[in-house]
Amino acid sequence: TGLVSMVHRESGRRIDSLFELIDEADVGDLYTPAPRPRDVAVEFRGARRVHRGPLRGEIALRYRIIESGKRGQPDVEVHVHLVLDADAPFLRLAIHGENRRENHRVRIAIRSDVANAAVWADAAFGPVERKPIVVGQLEAAVEQPPPTAPLHRYVSLFGDAIGCTLFSDGLAEYEARPDGAVVVTLLRAVGELSRGDLPERPGNAGWPTPTPGAQCIGPFAAELAVLLHGPRRLA
């Protein structure tokens, strides 16, 4: 079915459904995301074993994202390679795909068992604790804060007894959800530098001009890793 489960052999922790692909419409610009619901189907297209070990085990999964009710060529094709190296404490997710649609955002939600966690993310000068931005009504009328945050190299979720870290090789945006999922943006396709009609940010943030290259038509790639571990300690 394309459902991936992960068991941490050392602790017995189990993630029944490790990841989910998400595709939303995005009517925003290069300054401000403006995601909207989009009715799509994520279809599992099969799996194959690439390496059987003992030094590396690797399984390749194929998915496609297509607008619900439509047939033919999919909007997005996604290949996810699950890679386990001998003695490595983490699971790699090597992702590559092809985008054929404009004005949307494709993300992958990596689930964990650390709900309502403290969130620590790597930044330019070291790790910082990230909390949701809360603004008043007057500030929200000028610009609504997004639920996403910058991702440098990793983001960690910490509970009282357990933790989980998601590593990223170049992807720059994440959203930490209360249910323990970390949602990472794989690609964002928009066609304007600055729009003046966004309720998330009324008025132009910059010069209004088309940016057709920012539709990100064509291939994309990403590399992530998931590490289950203990809680945050000063030591």
Side-chain angles (χ1 to χ4, degrees), residues 87-126:
D87 290 334
F90 51 81
L91 171 70
R92 298 179 188 270
L93 291 89
I95 303 166
H96 65 92
E98 184 88 12
N99 176 44
R100 302 187 181 98
R101 185 180 178 89
E102 298 181 344
N103 302 309
H104 71 133
R105 180 175 68 171
V106 180
R107 302 195 293 171
I108 184 168
I110 307 295
R111 297 189 178 94
S112 78
D113 54 355
V114 192
N116 301 311
V119 181
W120 287 76
D122 186 37
F125 301 104

Side-chain angles (χ1 to χ4, degrees), residues 157-235:
L157 308 179
F158 291 106
D160 293 335
I162 56 175
C164 176
T165 292
L166 179 69
F167 299 92
S168 170
D169 184 13
L171 296 177
E173 182 181 75
Y174 78 92
E175 177 185 352
R177 292 182 172 172
D179 63 359
V182 177
V183 189
V184 179
T185 302
L186 296 175
L187 72 89
R188 182 168 175 262
V190 293
E192 295 289 335
L193 177 65
S194 174
R195 297 181 58 171
D197 58 349
L198 300 180
E200 288 87 351
R201 189 216 66 233
N204 289 105
W207 189 261
T209 187
T211 56
Q215 292 289 4
C216 298
I217 302 298
F220 63 92
E223 190 159 339
L224 305 169
V226 183
L227 173 66
L228 300 181
H229 50 75
R232 181 175 176 84
R233 296 285 184 263
L234 292 178

